[in-house]
Amino acid sequence: MSSSCRRPEHMAPPEVFYNEQEAKKYSQNSRMIEIQTQMSERAVELLSLPEDQPCYLLDVGCGSGLSGDYLSEAGHYWVGVDISTAMLDVALQRDVEGDLLLGDMGEGLPFRPGMFDGCISISALQWLCNADKKTHSPPKRLYRFFSTLYSSLARGARAVFQIYPENSEQLELITAQAMKAGFTGGMVVDYPNSSKAKKFFLCLFAGVSGVLPKGLCSESTDRGVSNQAQFTAQRSRFKNMKGKSVKKSKDWIMEKKERRRRQGKDVRADTKYTARHRKPRF
Amino acid sequence: MKLLTHNMLTSHVKGVTKGYPLIIKATEVKVNELEFNAQFVSRMIPKLEWSALIQAAEWLGQSQDLPSALIPDYENDEEFLRKVHRILLEVEVIEGCLQCPESGREFPISKGVPNMLLNEGE
């Protein structure tokens, strides 16, 4: 995503982070364009749309239209929603074919029921997991988004979200709200063993129980390792088999810090050094 | 904002029950040219709210020879499909606003992009 920091959603709300400077970077950085196009391609593949048929799709967090351009190339018509005017301005300059809307996905989608044949979202959903204003409640915003998305989709349509989850709790929060809104589906993980190439795609089905597509993996990995997590209406939790995170792991440390924050205790801010492995004599 | 999108948009303010269709008050309208795809147009027609489309076309002064009710067997009528294609995808509202029919709340349109951001408490 951004070259200057690992988690941009910790720096500022999306409409502030994606200012003119950042928006310009997005449209000119060839590596950025390549990655976004690849992820859009994979997301459309996971949508499993009927072949040779132009569809009406929704692009949530369309930004400067990089993913939208891919949709247009594939012959589809699309509507994009984004919260940043700077990014949408870049999209207008790039003369994208889709129709653009300035909106906050956490406020719900303003559409009539059953309109879209599918929905994609590239690197956007994780922004909903942070409370940028005092009045924000991430679970409520996630639910409002998912429930309005569920109604906006036609029966049997899919929604594919490429996300950068911070930890398993965030993943759990997202999937819980999606299930509550009526979606079924699961996570597809591509290249689970490569920290650089690993990509998470949340695949949701509206109204019809579908077969979850397989995640991609490189040839040398052990094929026996499962790289999907499927969920249905049954409550399931994304945790270690024993029910808790492995003691002293990064996940465990982050969870403990979160617990102490909730208790109101003074906790050091999270940085890139948090839970870093120290030498034994430390 | 194309009229295809307008046909899908409603007001998502809390408490509003009849936020559709949004009234268009356009100050600048543009007509582009877009490649005609008969398959897409005939697939979208059943999803459209036809009366809302006709009304929107009238507000923009673009309602030339569109029938007020949907004709049966439209899939094979290419002329009709081309007219629908034009009104759905080629006519664009660049400046203006959308007004909620129930509450009167306005969503401004600037550079062709409607601003659907809600205020605190909506």
Side-chain angles (χ1 to χ4, degrees):
Chain A
M1 274 185 69
S2 160
S3 51
S4 56
C5 59
R6 304 211 44 223
R7 298 229 67 108
E9 61 265 23
H10 287 173
M11 289 184 72
E15 65 270 26
V16 172
F17 180 81
Y18 288 108
N19 53 20
E20 274 111 34
Q21 209 185 356
E22 191 67 28
K24 206 167 153 199
K25 247 202 315 195
Y26 243 79
S27 62
Q28 293 175 350
N29 185 331
S30 57
R31 187 164 173 272
M32 182 76 73
I33 295 174
E34 196 189 313
I35 295 177
Q36 295 282 315
T37 310
Q38 268 171 17
M39 295 198 289
S40 311
E41 191 179 330
R42 181 68 174 134
V44 174
E45 197 183 310
L46 291 170
L47 268 183
S48 302
L49 296 168
E51 275 194 33
D52 293 331
Q53 207 180 78
C55 294
Y56 193 50
L57 303 173
L58 183 61
D59 187 348
V60 177
C62 61
S64 49
L66 291 174
S67 43
D69 275 348
Y70 180 78
L71 295 178
S72 298
E73 287 280 302
H76 301 300
Y77 296 78
W78 55 279
V79 174
V81 182
D82 202 273
I83 199 175
S84 157
T85 21
M87 291 290 260
L88 289 176
D89 277 337
V90 175
L92 288 170
Q93 276 167 31
R94 295 177 67 247
D95 214 11
V96 293
E97 285 184 22
D99 236 5
L100 303 169
L101 294 173
L102 177 64
D104 182 352
M105 56 168 142
E107 289 169 357
L109 298 170
F111 301 112
R112 279 196 291 130
M115 293 292 101
F116 293 100
D117 300 320
C119 166
I120 66 164
S121 173
I122 308 293
S123 319
L125 197 56
Q126 68 269 12
W127 286 95
L128 270 187
C129 299
N130 293 77
D132 296 316
K133 295 187 186 153
K134 236 172 83 172
T135 46
H136 279 184
S137 153
K140 262 209 186 125
R141 283 165 56 79
L142 280 164
Y143 179 71
R144 197 160 169 193
F145 168 64
F146 280 124
S147 54
T148 49
L149 178 64
Y150 188 81
S151 78
S152 305
L153 289 174
R155 279 305 133 253
R158 291 191 187 188
V160 177
F161 299 85
Q162 183 278 321
I163 53 175
Y164 294 105
E166 202 174 335
N167 48 42
S168 57
E169 262 152 16
Q170 208 182 67
L171 221 44
E172 197 183 308
L173 176 64
I174 294 174
T175 48
Q177 298 308 314
M179 290 200 297
K180 212 168 134 190
F183 282 110
T184 54
M187 283 299 284
V188 174
V189 186
D190 286 349
Y191 308 109
N193 299 317
S194 157
S195 58
K196 212 175 161 197
K198 191 174 187 179
K199 291 284 182 290
F200 291 87
F201 291 90
L202 177 66
C203 293
L204 301 175
F205 309 121
V208 175
S209 248
V211 177
L212 203 60
K214 278 211 183 318
L216 300 169
C217 48
S218 41
E219 291 303 316
S220 54
T221 58
D222 176 16
R223 291 245 169 217
V225 174
S226 163
N227 52 9
Q228 322 169 20
Q230 183 142 22
F231 62 83
T232 61
Q234 289 170 331
R235 294 208 167 274
S236 62
R237 318 203 80 202
F238 282 78
K239 277 190 173 165
N240 188 283
M241 289 289 272
K242 283 205 180 142
K244 291 187 184 171
S245 302
V246 173
K247 224 172 185 186
K248 309 298 181 189
S249 70
K250 180 158 187 176
D251 267 0
W252 180 86
I253 292 179
M254 302 302 261
E255 279 168 29
K256 180 159 187 193
K257 289 180 85 165
E258 210 28 58
R259 215 178 307 138
R260 286 176 71 89
R261 278 192 199 104
R262 270 184 263 132
Q263 288 168 6
K265 296 193 177 143
D266 209 0
V267 182
R268 271 213 190 268
D270 291 344
T271 68
K272 62 178 176 176
Y273 300 110
T274 303
R276 183 176 60 109
H277 184 67
R278 271 83 169 176
K279 284 209 282 202
R281 74 172 165 81
F282 187 90
Chain B
M1 181 197 67
K2 304 195 173 83
L3 288 188
L4 174 59
T5 310
H6 167 260
N7 203 273
M8 312 291 165
L9 280 174
T10 96
S11 167
H12 57 308
V13 172
K14 275 196 192 140
V16 170
T17 43
K18 189 81 180 63
Y20 180 85
L22 294 166
I23 305 169
I24 310 180
K25 295 188 184 162
T27 51
E28 196 189 317
V29 180
K30 211 170 69 159
V31 182
N32 308 308
E33 245 191 65
L34 197 68
E35 204 184 309
F36 173 64
N37 189 315
Q39 198 189 18
F40 180 70
V41 180
S42 48
R43 271 192 66 237
M44 291 308 288
I45 288 180
K47 290 193 191 184
L48 298 172
E49 182 62 44
W50 190 256
S51 50
L53 179 66
I54 298 298
Q55 205 173 36
E58 265 168 43
W59 283 323
L60 299 185
Q62 297 281 338
S63 63
Q64 56 259 89
D65 46 69
L66 273 175
S68 52
L70 200 54
I71 58 171
D73 193 36
Y74 52 78
E75 285 128 17
N76 301 318
D77 187 345
E78 194 187 299
E79 211 190 293
F80 174 71
L81 289 178
R82 279 191 183 270
K83 284 190 215 156
V84 177
H85 164 86
R86 186 179 174 279
I87 195 66
L88 282 181
L89 298 169
E90 291 186 346
V91 176
E92 260 193 78
V93 180
I94 304 294
E95 299 286 331
C97 72
L98 296 168
Q99 194 182 34
C100 173
E102 189 182 303
S103 63
R105 196 244 202 242
E106 289 192 353
F107 298 97
I109 305 178
S110 152
K111 298 187 246 182
V113 181
N115 182 338
M116 309 300 292
L117 288 171
L118 301 179
N119 304 317
E120 299 275 339
E122 272 185 320

